[in-house]
Amino acid sequence: MKIIMLVSFMLVFCALCGTAFADIQPVRNFQERTPTPYNNNPFGLVYAGAITENLSGKVNIHPITYELNGIKIAANVYTPADYDPAKKYPAITVAHPNGGVKEQVSGLFAQRLAELGYITVAADAAYQGESGGLPKHTDIPFFRTEDIHGMVDLLTIYPGVDTERIGMLGICGGGGYTLNAAKSEKRVKAVATLSMFNTGRVRREGYMSSQIGDIQARLKQSNEARNAAIKGEVISAGGTLDLDTLTDEYIASIKNDLYREGLLYYGKTHRHPNSTFEYTQSSLIELMTWDATDNLKLINVPLLMIAGSLADSLYLSEDAIEKATGTNDKELFLIPGAMHIQTYYVPEYVDQEVEKLKEFFGRTL
């Protein structure tokens, strides 16, 4: 009798709670999206060589939206030249850096990979860019990881995708979240990262271990930020910068290469209005207890990690590749002379990276 009463209680409890025990909601309501022009590009793209119009016999771009866990995601799908939805193509997800948007480096690599014959998707993370979700700039590992699972969802239903030949590419923070997704994402056959950034470790320890001494104080601040949000007060943010007031002198004063070059890229050369360094202060509650390299042994497919030989973030890729013990097919490929942000856009570095990705995905997909 007690067992029956307990089961009945649990069934009622689940029904009342709704989503408390609900499954994750995969991609649905996939449809075309009207792009937002910016900087003389009708699709808002800010990288060199970006598509300006869809032409027959060329790579085409398809702005779309879809719902993932009830949040509207804005994305761009790139299709190869002479794309025929009746045929089958390998496909790749491309995850953007922290603070980045689909119109920047993730779009560049999505386009370059489409030129090699892949269907690719670059999406704005939930709570960021053109995607929905409030408060904006929330940066929580669960959602960022779900974004990548959602791009895989999309590719499984996109016309022309060979679902047995799907790969993933993640850039900077998107690389860390791609590694996290790949631990459990068994619909993909190969995983690659570019200038991987382990957001959890850096938010916890500081970049290059510069903030280990004040971890507890910063965790306390993040809890205070959550309390303030509960009371309806202004949501506090970290990483706030006024890009309109950036001076060359201030940029030059930044000591580490990643942040100095990042200010140039995001604030000057590849600026986009949807791109920001901000993250909600309360996000640190989750970020500081998370690490992209936990359980990396669960990745059992080919793994390629690309990084600049002079990048001061190289230690993050070196740590990850060592911990990825679940696959013997793994490689850390260095771009000679490149710093972290330079791998995003410097033509000679991008060409080397694309050539390496061509070889890797050509072999594995």
Side-chain angles (χ1 to χ4, degrees):
M1 178 65 70
K2 289 182 179 179
I3 294 175
I4 294 173
M5 290 178 65
L6 177 61
V7 171
S8 298
F9 170 77
M10 290 301 293
L11 290 173
V12 172
F13 180 73
C14 290
L16 290 174
C17 289
T19 59
F21 290 88
D23 196 4
I24 289 169
Q25 299 174 21
V27 163
R28 58 191 66 185
N29 298 330
F30 150 48
Q31 57 187 334
E32 294 182 1
R33 170 179 60 85
T34 301
T36 303
Y38 175 69
N39 201 26
N40 297 320
N41 185 287
F43 303 104
L45 309 175
V46 298
Y47 56 86
I51 294 171
T52 57
E53 60 179 325
N54 286 332
L55 299 172
S56 177
K58 301 287 186 180
V59 167
N60 281 194
I61 185 171
H62 309 273
I64 62 167
T65 61
Y66 53 87
E67 288 184 16
L68 177 65
N69 298 312
I71 295 175
K72 181 173 286 188
I73 302 297
N76 289 326
V77 174
Y78 294 75
T79 52
D82 299 316
Y83 163 70
D84 180 350
K87 296 181 180 179
K88 293 295 183 183
Y89 302 82
I92 300 170
T93 65
V94 187
H96 64 67
N98 293 338
V101 289
K102 62 188 179 302
E103 290 85 2
Q104 296 167 324
V105 60
S106 60
L108 168 62
F109 278 86
Q111 181 174 324
R112 293 292 298 267
L113 289 168
E115 290 169 0
L116 297 177
Y118 298 92
I119 294 175
T120 59
V121 55
D124 283 338
Y127 304 93
Q128 300 175 33
E130 287 187 284
S131 290
L134 294 173
K136 295 297 282 187
H137 313 308
T138 295
D139 189 14
I140 292 177
F142 172 81
F143 296 119
R144 287 297 305 268
T145 303
E146 263 297 287
D147 292 327
I148 296 161
H149 289 307
M151 285 193 282
V152 177
D153 288 347
L154 175 74
L155 290 178
T156 65
I157 60 174
Y158 199 86
V161 170
D162 184 343
T163 58
E164 295 301 314
R165 294 191 292 161
I166 296 176
M168 295 194 294
L169 170 64
I171 303 164
C172 189
Y177 293 121
T178 292
L179 289 180
N180 195 51
K183 298 168 190 175
S184 59
E185 182 55 84
K186 302 307 174 184
R187 294 174 293 180
V188 302
K189 299 299 187 291
V191 180
T193 65
L194 173 64
S195 298
M196 194 279 295
F197 187 87
N198 184 348
T199 308
R201 178 176 174 178
V202 173
R203 296 288 184 258
R204 180 172 58 254
E205 300 178 357
Y207 190 53
M208 303 176 71
S209 304
S210 60
Q211 293 179 285
I212 291 179
D214 63 1
I215 290 175
Q216 294 300 331
R218 287 182 291 113
L219 277 170
K220 187 172 185 295
Q221 289 174 353
S222 66
N223 280 262
E224 290 169 351
R226 182 165 180 148
N227 277 338
I230 292 171
K231 297 173 185 176
E233 298 174 8
V234 175
I235 295 171
S236 60
T240 302
L241 279 174
D242 185 354
L243 297 179
D244 289 323
T245 62
L246 277 181
T247 64
D248 293 338
E249 291 75 19
Y250 176 75
I251 293 173
S253 72
I254 304 298
K255 299 300 182 184
N256 66 65
D257 297 335
L258 172 58
Y259 293 150
R260 184 178 63 255
E261 296 280 323
L263 287 176
L264 282 171
Y265 181 87
Y266 291 108
K268 302 283 188 181
T269 63
H270 293 73
R271 187 169 178 177
H272 190 282
N274 292 337
S275 177
T276 170
F277 292 105
E278 285 190 6
Y279 56 89
T280 58
Q281 197 71 32
S282 58
S283 295
L284 291 177
I285 293 175
E286 302 298 329
L287 278 170
M288 289 177 67
T289 58
W290 177 83
D291 197 295
T293 64
D294 289 343
N295 292 312
L296 268 188
K297 62 185 178 183
L298 294 176
I299 297 178
N300 62 348
V301 295
L303 172 64
L304 170 67
M305 302 189 73
I306 303 175
S309 68
L310 297 184
D312 49 21
S313 62
L314 177 57
Y315 74 102
L316 297 170
S317 290
E318 291 174 332
D319 178 54
I321 200 76
E322 182 178 346
K323 292 178 179 176
T325 58
T327 177
N328 292 321
D329 188 346
K330 63 179 182 177
E331 179 183 2
L332 175 58
F333 183 78
L334 300 183
I335 305 299
M339 292 186 288
H340 182 111
I341 298 293
Q342 292 174 343
T343 64
Y344 294 8
Y345 72 98
V346 175
E348 64 178 290
Y349 300 146
V350 171
D351 288 345
Q352 292 176 60
E353 293 148 14
V354 170
E355 189 63 29
K356 184 62 180 180
L357 291 168
K358 176 182 178 181
E359 179 274 324
F360 176 70
F361 285 125
R363 174 175 64 83
T364 57
L365 298 183

